[in-house]
Structure formats: structure tokens, C-alpha cells
Amino acid sequence: MYQTPVLAVRMNQTHIVVVRETIIHVYDVGMKLLANIETAPNPRGVLALTSNVESKRPILIAYPSRPDRGDVTIYDLHSLVEKRTIPMHKERLKVLQFSPDDTLLATASETGSFIKVVGVDSADTRQWHFRRGFSSASIDCVSFNYDQTQIACSSTNGTVHIFRFPSSGGELAGDGSYADGSPPSPAGGSFGGLLGGSPTAYLSSFLDSGIRSAATIKITPGLHALCGFSRDSSRVFTVTSDGKFSVYQVDFGGRGSKLVQERDLLMDGRKMQVNEFMPHGILVNPQ
């Protein structure tokens, strides 16, 4: 059917979206072709599709705008037009995820130091800047809870971070304050332009940038993992590429977590390719 590999498939109750490196195919659920969208090279097949089809909001997709940095295009599948383009990261995009009500978009770049969240509509000025860590990491999954007061991310570094949304927005790359975690550039390209020329003050500004995680979950380093919340947000689920489904009770007071349940999804020792964590279930491919 296709002359080049299919890199990703996304589906909701009304649309099926097939991602190839330089083109996106949009179908209805009966596989009638609705649109072919030419894109910049997207070798990872990064794309997000809104899922709240019962709302009056349009069905949207988000995908990388450029091959060399983390700009995002939001495209309206009802009117079949680009809605807006948002500069999010200096590095290329790794993960995109819409919130359950489709009003927010979370992004992570290939460096994985920050999770950034922005309002989808151009009139929505909400934005947050969450710091995952200071070292680079490969982010596998970003997930909102149901009422959008928390967000979680998993990486191959062996940690799932859970963040709480503050009452007001934070700094976001592209608005002139930060660029993928870098603090404002000091005058003359040195420490001298920031806080009286103190290197210690400059370092403190860098370390404090971004909202830090409220709790963490430790998983086996090197494994790919998906993460998601229970409906009441009291527990976090993970599915790891060794075939384990785990449930954790989050302890915000101690900034940690407690494993309360674990089971093997595959009992015959096969490897598993984790594909997608959906709001109502988990999709995996045994290999």
C-alpha cells in the first residue's frame, strides 16, 4: 500500500492517522482517505492526535515543523488547514502529547531535560516548563492525569518523574526567556551581565530554572517504558519493555513512590515492544 515505511499510526473514534517520514495520511474510520499532508522529514514518526471527540473542539494533530529544531505544527483535521506553529525546543522533538481535554500540548526534545506544556489555541497563554533533570535522557512517554493537574514522563534513565501544575504558567522556550533549558544569556556572553557578575549566581539561576518533579518512580535503567495515571490520580502505572505492568502509590510528601502491584504481561520470556499507553488501556506488540 505504501512505498516507504509506516513509522506510526494514531487513531481515535473518528480518524486514523498514518505517519511516514515526509507525509501524513488522514483517513476516517472506514479508511476513506481525507487528506495527504506533506511534512518536513520526521524519521521518528513523532505525532499526537486529540482524543476527546465528544467535545465541540476540532480534531487536531501535532507534528514537527522542521527537521533541525523543535517547532510544532498544529493541524485542524476538520478544516484541513494548519492552525498554528509553535517554537518549543532548540533540539528536535522526541514526544508530543495532547491533554485529555485537548486544550494543552506537552513536548519533549531529544535531549530530554525539559517537558514543556503550552495552550493549543493561539489565545491560550498558559505555558509551563518542567525540569526532568540535568543530564540528557531519551523520553519514551509523557502523560497527563485526567483533570490535568499532574503530568508524568518516563525515560530510559530509569526514572519516572511526576510533576504538579502550579496555578500560573512558567517560562517557555520561544518566548525570549529560555531556550530548551538555557537561562537568559548574560550580557557580552559572560557571567558579567547577570546578577552583578557572580558565577555562583549564574549557576544558581540555571539550576532553579523550570518546575521540578514532585515525586519519582524508579524503574530498571535501559528499559523503554510507558506511564499513565489512574482516574483518581492516586496511582501511576508503568509498562516496561521487559513485559512488566506495575502500579505505584505516589508519595508526594516523601517525593517518592511505593510499588503496590506488578505482573508479567508476557509469560514466555519474549521481548516486548511497547507502542502506546492509551487513556483506557495499553497497546503492546509481543515479539
Side-chain angles (χ1 to χ4, degrees), residues 203-225:
L203 180 60
S204 176
S205 174
F206 175 78
L207 295 178
D208 289 341
S209 63
I211 302 164
R212 300 185 186 183
S213 58
T216 58
I217 295 170
K218 296 297 184 183
I219 59 177
T220 304
L223 294 179
H224 295 284

Side-chain angles (χ1 to χ4, degrees), residues 238 243-247 261-267 282:
T238 64
K244 288 186 171 57
F245 171 76
S246 305
V247 182
Q261 182 183 348
E262 184 175 81
R263 68 181 184 186
D264 288 327
L265 297 177
L266 301 175
M267 304 302 293
I282 300 163

Side-chain angles (χ1 to χ4, degrees), residues 32-183:
K32 176 184 176 181
L33 181 65
L34 302 178
N36 290 317
I37 306 167
E38 295 185 359
T39 69
N42 181 15
R44 294 184 182 273
V46 177
L47 182 135
L49 169 68
T50 56
S51 59
N52 190 7
V53 298
E54 296 178 357
S55 72
K56 295 182 180 180
R57 294 183 58 81
I59 303 299
L60 305 174
I61 56 174
Y63 55 89
S65 306
R66 296 172 50 167
D68 58 340
R69 59 174 294 150
D71 294 1
V72 181
T73 294
I74 298 178
Y75 189 97
D76 186 333
L77 294 188
H78 283 170
S79 58
L80 299 178
V81 296
E82 289 187 13
K83 188 177 178 71
R84 63 186 300 207
T85 297
I86 312 172
M88 297 293 289
H89 301 269
K90 288 193 300 183
E91 284 77 19
R92 291 177 295 185
L93 293 166
K94 180 66 163 52
V95 176
L96 295 171
Q97 180 64 51
F98 285 106
S99 60
D101 71 353
D102 300 339
T103 65
L104 298 174
L105 177 68
T107 69
S109 74
E110 290 182 343
T111 59
S113 297
F114 286 87
I115 307 300
K116 296 180 179 179
V117 179
V118 66
V120 169
D121 297 329
S122 57
D124 188 344
T125 60
R126 292 177 297 170
Q127 50 187 277
W128 294 270
H129 186 167
F130 299 99
R131 174 177 282 283
R132 184 208 56 81
F134 299 106
S135 60
S136 61
S138 178
I139 303 294
D140 285 322
C141 178
V142 175
S143 179
F144 291 86
N145 69 342
Y146 281 84
D147 61 4
Q148 295 158 197
T149 58
Q150 299 174 38
I151 191 169
C153 71
S154 59
S155 74
T156 54
N157 282 21
T159 306
V160 178
H161 292 264
I162 301 101
F163 303 91
R164 283 174 160 171
F165 281 86
S167 57
S168 61
E171 305 290 355
L172 178 70
D175 280 0
S177 296
Y178 291 92
D180 205 15
S182 300

Side-chain angles (χ1 to χ4, degrees), residues 3 6 28 92 116 121 158 186 188 241 269 279:
Q3 295 181 348
V6 171
D28 65 15
R92 291 177 295 185
K116 296 180 179 179
D121 297 329
S241 54

Side-chain angles (χ1 to χ4, degrees), residues 4-10 18-22 42-46:
T4 57
V6 171
L7 302 175
V9 177
R10 300 288 183 263
V18 177
V19 186
R20 296 160 62 199
E21 183 166 357
T22 59
N42 181 15
R44 294 184 182 273
V46 177

